[in-house]
Amino acid sequence: MSTEARRAPFPPRPADDPAPAEPEPQVEDEPSVFVPRRPLERPRETRPPVPEARLTTPPPPPPASARFPDAPPAPTPAETTTRLRPVPADPEPAVPVPPPPAWSPAPAPDPALSWNAPWPVGAFGQPEPYEEPVRGPGPLARLRGRTGVAAVCVVLGLGLIGGALAGSWLTGEDDGPTADSGFAAAGSLWHNVPVDQLFPPTVQGTGAGPGGADRSWTRIAVAPDTGCAGAFDPLLARALAPVGCARLLRATYTDATETHVTTVGLLFTKADPAAMTGLAARFRTERLDRRTDLLPLPYAAKGTPAAGFGARQRASWTVSVLTDAPIVAFAVSGWADGRTVDTPEPAPDAVRSGATSAPAQAGLGNEAQGLADRIQRKLRQTVSPATEKPS
C-alpha cells in the first residue's frame, strides 16, 4: 500500500500568523517498509527572561550626632601646614633672552691638538728648566789622553820585560828549553844515550806492512860507531859533505820470518839549524832521495841472516834530513837469501798503491819506510826528556 495516498496535505501558512504552531506528531497505523522511521522530536523548553539588574546608589551614612546623640561634637583639627607667602600682584619682570648669534663658519682646527703634534714640554707638571748641554773633550784632548795611556802601557811593559831579563841574568837560569837547546841536545845523543834506547832490540810496526798489515822487527846486529867513510855511495857522500859527519850509528833488523833484512842508520852532523834546513830543501827540490846512484850502504854482519846483504842486494831505501836535530836518518832493505836486485826502488814509490815492481810486491818498501819512521819517533821521544830541565 502506498503511503502517499493516505497522508493528508498540509494547509497553507497564513500570512499574518507570527509563529506557526507546531503540528502534533502523527502516529502511523502501520510502519512503511519503504520510508525509514524518524525519531520523535521532543518539544523545545522555553525559559522565562531574566530581569535586568538596576544599579542603585546607597544612601550616605547618618552623621555621628544622629547615630550617637549623647556624644560630644568632634573637634576641628588645627592647621599645621605652613602657609606660603602671598604672591605679589605685580610679578618681577622677565630677563630678556638675547637672540641667537648669526651663523659664522667653523674655526680652523688647532695644529697643536693633532695626534701628530709633538708632546708639549711639562704638560703634566712645571716646565722643564733649560740646561746647557754637556760637551765632551775635543778631538785633540782625546788624542792626547790616548797617547798618554799608550805611553804608560809601553813603559810598564818594558819594565816587566827588563825585570824578567835581569832576574834571569842574576840567577843564571833560563825560562825553559828552546829550539837551540833541543837542537844541541839531539846532537850529543850518540854518546849520552845507550844504544838500546836508540835502536831497541824489538820494534813493533802496527799497520806498517802492505795493506795495513802488522810488522815486527828484531835487531840482529849493531855496527860500532865510526865515521862516514865507506857508508854511502860516492855521490851521496858528496851531497852530505856540507853538513859534516860527527858520528855514524847503524843497526840491522830482520822480520819475523827472517825473509827480509833492513839496515837503519843515524848520521850525526856538525851543522847548525840553518845548514840542516838548507840541506833538507835541496833534497826536496832536487829529489835526491829518489836517485838510484845516491843510496846508503847496508851493514852485513857475519853469522846473521844479513851476512850476504851487500850493495847488489839493496832493493828499497829512504833518506830523511831532519831540521829540528843535526841528524840524517836512513834505511835500506833487501832479501835475506842474498838475491840481487838490478833496479832498486825508493820506498815512497814502492809503498804506493798499484806498484808492480819486485820490491813493491815483496813489501821491501814497507820494511824500509816503516822501520825508519819508528826509529825516528823513538829518537824524538829520547830528545824531549833530554831538553827538559830538572826541577
Side-chain angles (χ1 to χ4, degrees):
M1 175 183 297
S2 175
T3 312
E4 297 293 336
R6 293 185 311 183
R7 183 177 298 176
F10 291 98
R13 178 184 294 179
D16 54 350
D17 189 2
E22 295 182 1
E24 295 180 359
Q26 296 181 3
V27 180
E28 297 181 358
D29 297 337
E30 294 180 358
S32 176
V33 294
F34 299 101
V35 179
R37 179 178 296 179
R38 295 190 307 176
L40 300 177
E41 295 182 0
R42 297 177 59 183
R44 296 181 180 179
E45 297 181 0
T46 57
R47 295 181 180 180
V50 179
E52 295 180 2
R54 294 182 180 181
L55 298 178
T56 57
T57 302
S65 57
R67 288 178 296 172
F68 304 98
D70 298 337
T76 303
E79 183 178 0
T80 58
T81 304
T82 305
R83 293 182 177 272
L84 299 178
R85 60 183 180 84
V87 179
D90 298 332
E92 296 180 359
V95 178
V97 179
W103 178 86
S104 60
D110 190 358
L113 301 179
S114 175
W115 288 103
N116 299 328
W119 197 264
V121 179
F124 296 97
Q126 297 296 330
E128 297 181 1
Y130 174 76
E131 296 182 0
E132 185 70 20
V134 180
R135 297 181 179 179
L140 183 58
R142 289 196 298 269
L143 181 60
R144 290 177 180 175
R146 294 175 183 175
T147 305
V149 173
V152 171
C153 294
V154 171
V155 171
L156 291 178
L158 293 177
L160 293 176
I161 295 174
L165 294 177
S168 176
W169 179 74
L170 292 176
T171 57
E173 297 180 355
D174 297 333
D175 294 338
T178 60
D180 293 340
S181 63
F183 190 90
S188 61
L189 290 179
W190 64 273
H191 61 79
N192 293 334
V193 178
V195 65
D196 290 344
Q197 193 168 351
L198 294 177
F199 299 116
T202 303
V203 178
Q204 300 296 330
T206 304
D214 297 338
R215 280 289 187 267
S216 178
W217 299 281
T218 303
R219 189 184 68 190
I220 59 177
V222 177
D225 52 335
T226 59
C228 297
F232 307 101
D233 284 348
L235 293 180
L236 180 58
R238 188 182 303 176
L240 296 176
V243 295
C245 179
R247 190 63 61 175
L248 177 63
L249 303 180
R250 292 181 295 176
T252 301
Y253 289 81
T254 185
D255 63 341
T257 62
E258 296 186 356
T259 305
H260 305 144
V261 288
T262 305
T263 295
V264 185
L266 297 175
L267 170 61
F268 291 85
T269 68
K270 301 177 182 180
D272 56 3
M276 295 300 297
T277 302
L279 181 63
R282 182 184 178 188
F283 265 73
R284 183 173 58 256
T285 55
E286 299 181 13
R287 300 175 64 87
L288 299 180
D289 56 343
R290 304 295 182 93
R291 291 177 55 171
T292 57
D293 55 349
L294 300 175
L295 272 71
L297 293 173
Y299 174 65
K302 296 179 180 181
T304 64
F309 188 27
R312 292 181 57 85
Q313 282 74 34
R314 296 175 295 183
S316 185
W317 83 100
T318 178
V319 178
S320 300
V321 180
L322 307 183
T323 58
D324 54 350
I327 298 174
V328 177
F330 61 90
V332 57
S333 63
W335 278 279
D337 57 359
R339 73 182 70 178
T340 60
V341 179
D342 295 334
T343 305
E345 186 176 14
D349 296 340
V351 299
R352 187 177 303 170
S353 177
T356 59
S357 62
Q361 294 292 331
L364 291 174
N366 298 87
E367 296 288 326
Q369 187 70 53
L371 190 56
D373 290 345
R374 278 147 185 84
I375 293 299
Q376 294 180 39
R377 191 180 306 168
K378 188 67 176 178
L379 176 66
R380 285 188 169 88
Q381 293 175 359
T382 305
V383 172
S384 298
T387 56
E388 294 179 359
K389 299 180 70 63
S391 57

